[in-house]
């Protein structure tokens, strides 16, 4: 038998998946269609580059005047306060909420109620929530803090509940077999297994709250975002650059700090 | 409710368990466990040995029947009464089941959770008496220097020693062991069963042990119970266990050494 005939008798090594091919083709066609309806053209992009060049030209050099630095400092400190307070309260509230949402510890109706609450917290972007709170409690840091508490609860409770659902039930069962109460099992069987991950989530959330806290100010939630927005509106582009640089610096510092925090608690 | 016999640790009456209705794992089991010594339960995998032992401390709820322990019917308990009964029954688990991220000391003290409030446990403020006893038990199982090590840093044999210390920390009136040696090498297996036997005998605690290793069971047990397909097919002292009985328990004969 010739090699060609031999290979014919076998199944193809990489059979064509027509469903996949048609899927990609449809996606490609949709992208073209969407671009045509939204009037995205190369021309507009090129003129845009020119504007951007002019914009960056007006930004440089950054403005380091004493009065500006004062504004920057006040805004920055407020942002950090918003982030830390929101993370602290959010994490504290996530602990019971996540526990209630864990399907392997709670009866179904409890976990579904808790899951519904979490889903509600997660369904809106922090900015949307911040707008609601600004309307409810007025301009300022309180609205920003409340918005970020909601965001933190949505994020941490969900991950915490998942961590609990992934823990080893055998270890929990062994603690239960000693005659421990529900709380005893929680303290010595459940928490030791999930605490390190919970602290990891909290550190990550602090990091992301710092980033978000620079944003809630734009809609009136206080902090450096407010300063940034004002600077934009007054065409103080050199001060805008100063603020942006400060934000980048603070995010980097928090990145390092949260990595260090996670390492301490493995 | 009839009181259990004075010189028995446990009386099992007509115990049945079906996880799926109509497919019983345990079929009408009646046994009296003596008040001292080791009772070894042998039998093929999936024959319900583990279910039987776990029915006793109610990690599994039996379908019907009674288990009499110190005048209590364990099958009827729930809530606080069940926890009060559980703390009198120690258990050594198949894969040690230590809480890996806790220290050896914390794992041993978990044995007191039936007596110490969750709040005190959370603050790690266990009574000094308990801490002294925990150190004593760690000494007895040969891990005196390991108290502050995290459980996941120990070897299999060391972990099972901690498991034994945790169970004895309850000051139990009955010790259950569910395949305590199945994850261990042969030498460590012998050491673990020997240790369990010695510590339980010193404290006058009867032991029920599920075991794969027939020779090991025969060597340390004062009584052997053979199970097959959810029923007891042999019950007697180890010296009475013949090749014929083993063939009945495990099925076939070709695997028996000539």
């Amino acid at each position: 038998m010739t090699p060609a005939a031999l290979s014919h008798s076998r199944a193809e090594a990489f059979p064509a998946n027509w469903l996949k091919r048609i899927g990609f083709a449809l996606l490609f066609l949709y992208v073209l269609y969407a671009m045509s309806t939204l009037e995205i053209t190369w021309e507009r992009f090129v003129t845009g580059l020119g504007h951007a060049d002019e914009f960056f030209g007006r930004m440089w050099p950054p403005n380091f005047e004493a009065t500006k630095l004062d504004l920057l400092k006040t805004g920055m400190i407020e942002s950090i306060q918003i982030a830390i307070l929101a993370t602290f309260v959010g994490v504290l509230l996530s602990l019971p909420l996540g526990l209630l949402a864990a399907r392997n510890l709670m009866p179904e109706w409890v976990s579904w109620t808790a899951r519904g609450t979490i889903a509600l917290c997660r369904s809106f972007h922090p900015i949307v929530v911040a707008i609601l709170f600004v309307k409810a409690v007025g301009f300022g840091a309180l609205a920003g803090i409340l918005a970020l508490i909601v965001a933190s609860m949505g994020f941490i409770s969900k991950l915490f509940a998942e961590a609990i659902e992934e823990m080893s039930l055998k270890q929990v069962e062994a603690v239960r077999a000693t005659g421990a109460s529900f709380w005893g099992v929680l303290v010595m069987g459940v928490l030791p297994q999930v605490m390190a991950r919970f602290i990891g989530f909290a550190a990550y959330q602090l990091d992301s709250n710092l980033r978000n806290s620079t944003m809630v100010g734009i809609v009136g939630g206080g902090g450096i975002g407010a300063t940034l927005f004002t600077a934009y509106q007054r065409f103080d582009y050199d001060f805008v650059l100063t603020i942006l640089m400060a934000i980048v610096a603070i995010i980097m510092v928090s990145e390092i700090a949260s990595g260090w925090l996670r390492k301490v608690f493995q | 409710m009839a009181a259990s016999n004075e010189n028995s640790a446990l009386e099992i009456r007509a115990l049945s368990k079906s996880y799926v209705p109509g497919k019983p794992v345990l079929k009408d089991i009646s046994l009296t466990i003596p008040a001292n010594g080791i009772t070894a339960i042998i039998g093929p995998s999936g024959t319900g040995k583990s279910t039987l032992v776990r029915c006793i401390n109610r990690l599994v709820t039996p379908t019907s029947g009674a288990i009499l322990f110190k005048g209590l019917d364990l099958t009827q308990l729930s809530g606080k009464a069940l926890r009060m009964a559980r703390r009198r029954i120690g258990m050594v688990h198949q894969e040690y089941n230590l809480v890996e991220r806790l220290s050896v000391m914390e794992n041993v003290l978990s044995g007191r959770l039936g007596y110490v409030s969750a709040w005190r446990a959370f603050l790690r403020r266990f009574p000094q008496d308990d801490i002294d006893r925990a150190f004593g038990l760690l000494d007895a199982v040969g891990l005196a220097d390991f108290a502050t090590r995290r459980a996941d840093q120990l070897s299999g044999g060391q972990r099972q020693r901690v498991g034994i210390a945790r169970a004895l920390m309850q000051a139990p009136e009955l010790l259950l062991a569910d395949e305590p040696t199945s994850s261990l090498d042969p030498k460590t297996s012998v050491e673990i069963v020997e240790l369990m036997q010695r510590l339980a005998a010193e404290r006058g605690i009867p032991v029920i042990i599920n075991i794969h290793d027939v020779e090991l069971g025969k060597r340390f047990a004062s009584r052997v119970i053979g199970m097959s397909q959810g029923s007891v097919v042999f019950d007697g002292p180890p010296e009475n266990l013949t090749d014929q009985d083993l063939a009945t328990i495990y099925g076939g004969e070709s695997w028996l050494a000539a």
Side-chain angles (χ1 to χ4, degrees), chain A:
Chain A
M1 211 185 279
T2 62
L6 193 76
S7 70
H8 243 302
S9 64
R10 295 215 180 107
E12 252 182 286
F14 305 101
N17 185 341
W18 279 103
L19 231 57
K20 224 192 250 176
R21 288 183 187 179
I22 292 169
F24 277 120
L26 287 177
L27 178 67
F28 184 68
L29 288 176
Y30 178 77
V31 168
L32 286 184
Y33 167 76
M35 276 171 76
S36 71
T37 57
L38 294 175
E39 291 174 41
I40 298 173
T41 60
W42 184 246
E43 215 173 313
R44 271 188 67 183
F45 181 67
V46 172
T47 28
L49 282 183
H51 289 310
D53 185 42
E54 188 189 337
F55 180 56
F56 282 124
R58 287 176 65 179
M59 274 182 155
W60 192 262
N63 187 336
F64 288 121
E65 277 169 42
T67 50
K68 297 292 182 193
L69 285 185
D70 257 3
L71 276 177
L72 178 74
K73 202 176 106 186
T74 323
M76 224 38 176
I77 288 176
E78 195 172 61
S79 268
I80 293 171
Q81 284 170 330
I82 291 174
I84 290 178
L85 282 175
T87 308
F88 181 76
V89 178
V91 163
L92 223 57
L93 293 176
S94 299
L95 205 67
L97 189 58
L99 209 62
L100 291 174
R103 278 169 294 196
N104 53 352
L105 286 185
M106 290 294 154
E108 210 156 293
W109 66 272
V110 175
S111 68
W112 279 113
T113 314
R115 273 163 189 272
T117 313
I118 293 172
L120 200 66
C121 290
R122 288 172 59 81
S123 35
F124 301 105
H125 191 274
I127 289 299
V128 178
V129 182
I131 293 171
L132 291 179
F133 276 119
V134 168
K135 286 286 171 205
V137 302
F139 287 96
L142 180 61
I145 291 173
L146 291 174
L148 292 185
I149 286 176
V150 171
S152 306
M153 280 171 69
F155 180 78
I156 299 187
S157 314
K158 186 178 157 77
L159 290 181
F160 187 45
E162 272 165 19
I164 294 176
E165 284 171 2
E166 284 164 16
M167 73 183 170
S168 151
L169 280 177
K170 290 181 163 187
Q171 297 176 30
V172 173
E173 188 181 66
V175 177
R176 187 174 290 139
T178 65
S181 65
F182 172 79
W183 294 107
V185 172
L186 207 62
V187 165
M188 295 301 269
V190 176
L191 283 188
Q193 290 194 61
V194 296
M195 217 47 207
R197 289 187 66 188
F198 184 70
I199 286 164
F201 300 148
Y204 182 80
Q205 187 61 29
L206 177 64
D207 200 69
S208 101
N209 274 350
L210 260 177
R211 229 166 309 150
N212 288 338
S213 73
T214 62
M215 229 166 37
V216 290
I218 294 174
V219 295
I224 192 72
T227 322
L228 180 66
F229 194 53
T230 316
Y232 263 124
Q233 286 187 316
R234 296 170 58 190
F235 305 109
D236 278 345
Y237 292 131
D238 50 356
F239 185 39
V240 165
L241 182 60
T242 318
I243 296 173
L244 292 182
M245 282 162 56
I247 292 175
V248 169
I250 199 95
I251 296 299
M252 279 177 157
V253 169
S254 89
E255 187 97 356
I256 293 165
S258 75
W260 175 80
L261 201 63
R262 269 192 291 261
K263 200 178 282 173
V264 168
F265 291 94
Q266 331 96 17

Side-chain angles (χ1 to χ4, degrees), chain B residues 46-157:
Chain B
T47 198
K49 304 189 299 281
S50 193
T51 301
L52 176 61
V53 163
R54 291 154 65 85
C55 276
I56 296 171
N57 64 356
R58 286 286 304 282
L59 292 175
V60 168
T61 301
T63 310
S64 65
I67 300 174
L68 303 178
F69 171 70
K70 312 279 174 192
L72 290 169
D73 183 354
L74 295 174
T75 60
Q76 299 303 315
L77 301 179
S78 64
K80 190 171 168 82
L82 175 59
R83 293 202 303 273
M84 295 295 106
R86 263 185 192 153
R87 65 183 194 180
R88 298 163 69 182
I89 303 172
M91 187 167 195
V92 178
H93 300 259
Q94 182 166 12
E95 282 153 2
Y96 336 120
N97 295 4
L98 301 181
V99 181
E100 306 250 312
R101 284 175 167 274
L102 289 183
S103 72
V104 166
M105 179 50 94
E106 286 168 323
N107 268 293
V108 174
L109 284 171
S110 293
R112 294 311 288 172
L113 283 176
Y115 298 88
V116 174
S117 75
W119 181 242
R120 289 191 74 165
F122 179 67
L123 298 175
R124 302 294 190 265
R125 285 176 50 186
F126 287 88
Q128 192 57 44
D129 267 5
D130 287 350
I131 295 173
D132 294 341
R133 272 192 53 225
F135 273 118
L137 278 168
L138 282 178
D139 239 346
V141 299
L143 291 176
D145 301 331
F146 290 77
T148 55
R149 288 277 196 99
R150 236 167 72 160
D152 54 9
Q153 295 175 339
L154 304 185
S155 70

